[in-house]
Each structure stands twice: as structure tokens, then as C-alpha cells.
Amino acid sequence: QTACTSGRKRWYSVAEPEFYTLQRSGIRIAEKGTWKDGIISQGGWHTWEDWQLYWVDPVIGEPEVESYTVKIPGRHGVLDLSEVLTGFPVYHNRTISATFRWFGSMERWHLLYAELLNRLHGRVVQLILDTACGYYYEGRCRIASVRENAVYSTFTLTVDASPYQLEVNDTVSDWLWDPFCFETGVIREYGAMTIPESGTLIITIVGSAMPVLPVITVSQKCTASDGTDTYELLTGENTPFLLGDETKQITLTGTAGTKISIFYRGGML
């Protein structure tokens, strides 16, 4: 049951039509490639706003950790080689599932079920939960539905998703404030930078829980140093280092007027 506060309090049962007319949170979803110029800016659908699906049961599964161990005679325990190649844990896909209830006639249910199958079933999609709108999941989608009784139907959306949920904002596109969390979010704006007359540009870049290879694009040859290593950057795109959950101060040295951008998209489990 749920409470509706308009005038005096009124309790609705899930079996009543009025229960499904209240504004609800949901999931914004689109086929991969729809959101190009600033994700969620246009295109796609919202489960409540477009289809009046009432979200009742989200399940966000944890990704399985890829592990590799070796038993060695005479050794206590096993030798764990899981991170030998990467230096950090590697994860398999995770399952994202959401169950919805929908009120309507059987005829309308047939039409809606067919629409969801045609639009989403078997396709690679990106989805953003209203409850965590600063990130999106990506994976192949499955749709199922059951006509429970004469009052409502159940829809289930299941996505075989990549292990990390990715940040809506990247480091070079126009910044989107609507999905930004002012409590935990990090502002990363590393586009359209220029080396000044001094010939040196110092940038502080902030990583995330997901290891990434930042793409540094330069208009002329220059060098980049993180205080430990120095990298030569050639004209065009460069991926000189791996960025993890850390903050790096990068010193770029080159000809004044050299244009620089650093692109990546953070993520977390």
C-alpha cells in the first residue's frame, strides 16, 4: 500500500487503478548510440513517463571477480595470480533486473508488451536509474511480461551489463548539472586547454574507482610528466598512462598555444 497526500491522507491498494496514477520514479533507457551529444539529452524512453510502468523491485547484482589461483605442493594456501597482469581486480558482467507493475486491459497489455519487445528486447541499451542519475549501465536487454490477473500485469527488464556503471558526464563534453550529485560528485573539465606563454601547463586530474586510459589529444608535440615518469606526446591522440582511483598532477611542457584536451569517463561498481 502507499499513501497519497492531497487534502487528507488516502491509502491505495496495489489492486486499485488509482495506485498507478501517482508520479513514480523509474528508469531512463535507450538503445546504445542514441545518446551522443551529452548523454540523456534527447531520445530514449522513461519507464514511468512513457509507459506508466510502476517500478517495484530493482535488483543490482554484483559482478563476479575474475580469479586465478595455483596450488603449490608444500605451500600453505594457494598462490593468487588474479592481479598479476593488471595490478587490480578484473570483473565479469553483472545482472541488472527491474520488475514493474502496469495497470490496464489485456488488449492494451498485448500492445505495450509488443512495443517493449520491439524496442528493447535483445538490444544493447544504456539505462539510468532515477535513484542514481549520475551514472548509467550498459548491456544487452531482455524483456518478459506476465498477465497476473484482470487488474495488472508484471513486466521484467533484465540487462546483462558491463561490471562498472559509468559517469553520465565525461571530461570534455558540455557539463550537465541535472544528474550531478553535489555530495559525492567530482567536476572534471579537461577540454579546450592551451599551453600559456610560459610553455608549461599544470593540470590536476581526478580518477575514479574504474581504471581508465585517459586520451590526451594535443595539436603539437609536447611532453607530459606526472612527477615520476615523463611521456612524449605526439600530435593527435595519446594514451600514456593508466589512471586509477587517485589524483595526478600532470605538467605539460611545449610550445605556447598548443591546444590540449584530456578525455575519459569515470565509473564505479
Side-chain angles (χ1 to χ4, degrees), residues 200-248:
T200 300
L201 176 65
I202 299 175
I203 307 168
T204 299
I205 60 175
V206 182
S208 68
M210 181 182 72
V212 297
L213 282 170
V215 179
I216 305 178
T217 302
V218 297
S219 61
Q220 299 182 64
K221 288 176 61 176
C222 60
T223 62
S225 173
D226 61 5
T228 302
D229 299 299
T230 299
Y231 312 94
E232 182 178 356
L233 305 181
L234 302 179
T235 302
E237 297 182 351
N238 303 264
T239 53
F241 56 81
L242 184 72
L243 180 66
D245 194 2
E246 59 186 316
T247 298
K248 278 183 179 286

Side-chain angles (χ1 to χ4, degrees), residues 17-265:
E18 291 84 354
F19 180 85
Y20 298 90
T21 63
L22 305 177
Q23 182 63 39
R24 304 292 179 186
S25 62
I27 298 175
R28 189 164 297 280
I29 185 168
E31 189 174 358
K32 183 179 179 180
T34 301
W35 296 324
K36 294 180 180 178
D37 300 323
I39 196 166
I40 75 169
S41 60
Q42 55 185 330
W45 307 273
H46 188 272
T47 54
W48 173 258
E49 294 171 2
D50 292 291
W51 298 314
Q52 288 73 59
L53 296 174
Y54 173 55
W55 188 13
V56 294
D57 186 20
V59 177
I60 301 175
E62 70 281 0
E64 179 186 353
V65 182
E66 183 175 298
S67 62
Y68 180 70
T69 59
V70 179
K71 293 181 180 180
I72 300 177
R75 185 183 193 277
H76 293 293
V78 298
L79 180 62
D80 192 341
L81 303 175
S82 304
E83 300 181 20
V84 168
L85 294 179
T86 60
F88 50 82
V90 174
Y91 300 96
H92 295 171
N93 275 13
R94 69 199 305 174
T95 300
I96 309 297
S97 177
T99 301
F100 304 87
R101 284 183 177 172
W102 178 84
F103 173 83
S105 67
M106 182 174 289
E107 180 181 5
R108 291 175 57 212
W109 168 70
H110 276 296
L111 293 173
L112 179 58
Y113 191 15
E115 179 184 352
L116 293 177
L117 289 173
N118 288 329
R119 294 189 186 279
L120 303 176
H121 190 64
R123 300 181 185 274
V124 177
V125 300
Q126 295 170 328
L127 61 154
I128 301 172
L129 313 184
D130 282 357
T131 50
C133 59
Y135 294 83
Y136 70 94
Y137 295 95
E138 182 175 299
R140 195 165 296 278
C141 180
R142 301 196 310 273
I143 297 292
S145 184
V146 175
R147 182 69 178 174
E148 300 289 354
N149 54 39
V151 177
Y152 70 89
S153 306
T154 298
F155 285 85
T156 304
L157 179 151
T158 306
V159 176
D160 180 28
S162 301
Y164 285 95
Q165 50 181 318
L166 303 178
E167 294 177 357
V168 166
N169 287 310
D170 61 46
T171 57
V172 299
S173 300
D174 291 339
W175 194 260
L176 302 174
W177 287 107
D178 286 347
F180 182 73
C181 177
F182 285 89
E183 294 182 1
T184 61
V186 177
I187 297 176
R188 304 182 181 91
E189 292 184 292
Y190 310 131
M193 298 177 290
T194 304
I195 293 181
E197 291 296 328
S198 64
T200 300
L201 176 65
I202 299 175
I203 307 168
T204 299
I205 60 175
V206 182
S208 68
M210 181 182 72
V212 297
L213 282 170
V215 179
I216 305 178
T217 302
V218 297
S219 61
Q220 299 182 64
K221 288 176 61 176
C222 60
T223 62
S225 173
D226 61 5
T228 302
D229 299 299
T230 299
Y231 312 94
E232 182 178 356
L233 305 181
L234 302 179
T235 302
E237 297 182 351
N238 303 264
T239 53
F241 56 81
L242 184 72
L243 180 66
D245 194 2
E246 59 186 316
T247 298
K248 278 183 179 286
Q249 183 170 282
I250 305 298
T251 301
L252 294 130
T253 305
T255 305
T258 299
K259 298 184 183 303
I260 298 170
S261 68
I262 303 176
F263 172 84
Y264 63 92
R265 191 185 298 277

